[in-house]
């Protein structure tokens, strides 16, 4: 693992640390499985958003949280919340780009 620190700390800004992960094959498989699970959750949330025409974060969270946890086996609470936020953010970005 290589660590490189930014020199901006001396100017009062937070430092940035860049890491290069070198997972073992087993860890790489686990990471790939986690990404697949999160993508499945995002797909479920997106379908619910379009069915109910609910695209705001809070509204989508109330609508989708328990359903996505039930439909995607093995999905943790934090992963479900992040998938909901990711979908809502994507739709907000899409609206902003189309509106500009």
């Amino acid at each position: 693992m290589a660590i490189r620190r930014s020199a901006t700390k001396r100017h009062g800004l937070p430092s940035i640390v860049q890491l290069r992960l070198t997972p073992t094959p087993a860890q790489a498989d686990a990471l790939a499985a986690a990404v697949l699970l999160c993508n499945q959750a995002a797909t479920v949330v997106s379908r619910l958003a379009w069915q109910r025409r609910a695209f705001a974060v809070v509204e989508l969270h109330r609508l989708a949280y328990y359903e996505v946890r039930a439909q995607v086996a093995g999905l943790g609470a934090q992963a479900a919340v992040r998938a909901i936020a990711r979908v809502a953010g994507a739709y907000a970005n899409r609206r902003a780009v189309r509106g500009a």
Side-chain angles (χ1 to χ4, degrees):
M1 174 172 41
I3 299 176
R4 186 174 60 183
R5 290 188 180 267
S6 173
T8 59
K9 184 68 172 181
R10 58 191 156 171
H11 300 294
L13 298 174
S15 66
I16 297 171
V17 178
Q18 293 180 347
L19 301 173
R20 173 174 276 185
L21 298 178
T22 52
T24 64
Q27 290 171 331
D29 291 341
L31 286 171
V35 169
L36 181 64
L37 205 62
C38 289
N39 286 341
Q40 289 173 351
T43 300
V44 170
V45 172
S46 182
R47 284 187 185 142
L48 286 171
W50 278 105
Q51 286 173 358
R52 305 284 175 85
R53 299 285 192 236
F55 300 105
V57 174
V58 174
E59 187 179 4
L60 195 54
H61 180 86
R62 289 180 181 150
L63 171 73
Y65 178 78
Y66 292 108
E67 192 159 344
V68 76
R69 290 286 312 270
Q71 285 188 23
V72 182
L75 186 70
Q78 185 66 30
V81 169
R82 296 310 316 146
I84 292 167
R86 190 173 91 185
V87 169
Y91 288 125
N93 186 31
R94 185 176 181 204
R95 270 193 313 271
V97 168
R98 284 189 172 185

